[in-house]
Amino acid sequence: MLQAALRRWGSEWGIRGPGDFAVLPPLLLLLSLLSFAASPVENAVSRQAEHAADVYGLQLIGSTEGAVSMYQKLASSSLSEVNPPLLVKWFGSTHPSIMERIIYVQHVHAGTGK
C-alpha cells in the first residue's frame, strides 16, 4: 500500500523514495488507519475471551445470584456505561458490557434453576 501511495503522490509530498525520512508521517498515518479499521475485530476477540472468563468464573462460583449482585454493584460504582451504543462497543469496548453480563447470568440462572 505504501509503495502504491509513494508512486502516486510521492513526488507531490516531496518523498524521494522508501528510505527517505519524509516517508515516516504517511507511514504512521497508514498504520493508524489500519489499526483503527482493525479495532472492531480486535475488540470482538477480546470481548469473547472476557466472556469465556466470565463463564469460567460462574462455574467456579456456582451461584448466579452472587454474580448478578456483583455486576449490579460494579455498574453502580463504575464510570463506564451499563449498555453503551453499538459503535462505542465496536470501537472501544474490550469487555462485555455490564448489561450483557447480567443478561447472560440471568439466562444461565433461568436455564439451570440455580
Side-chain angles (χ1 to χ4, degrees):
M1 262 199 234
L2 182 62
Q3 289 293 339
L6 288 178
R7 277 193 302 273
R8 175 147 169 99
W9 297 293
S11 61
E12 292 175 34
W13 294 344
I15 301 172
R16 292 182 295 274
D20 191 356
F21 280 116
V23 81
L24 199 53
L27 177 64
L28 292 176
L29 176 64
L30 179 63
L31 290 175
S32 294
L33 292 173
L34 290 174
S35 176
F36 179 74
S39 65
V41 175
E42 294 169 358
N43 289 341
V45 170
S46 178
R47 284 191 303 274
Q48 178 61 36
E50 289 296 328
H51 176 71
D54 290 346
V55 170
Y56 180 71
L58 267 177
Q59 291 170 350
L60 288 179
I61 293 172
S63 166
T64 56
E65 291 86 8
V68 169
S69 173
M70 181 207 44
Y71 288 137
Q72 288 171 339
K73 289 176 186 173
L74 181 63
S76 67
S77 67
S78 175
L79 296 177
S80 63
E81 292 187 50
V82 175
N83 192 18
L86 189 58
L87 284 176
V88 172
K89 178 181 167 183
W90 284 352
F91 286 97
S93 296
T94 58
H95 290 66
S97 69
I98 300 295
M99 184 64 69
E100 290 172 331
R101 288 174 162 175
I102 290 172
I103 289 170
Y104 175 75
V105 170
Q106 289 174 339
H107 175 74
V108 167
H109 178 73
T112 62
K114 287 186 180 181

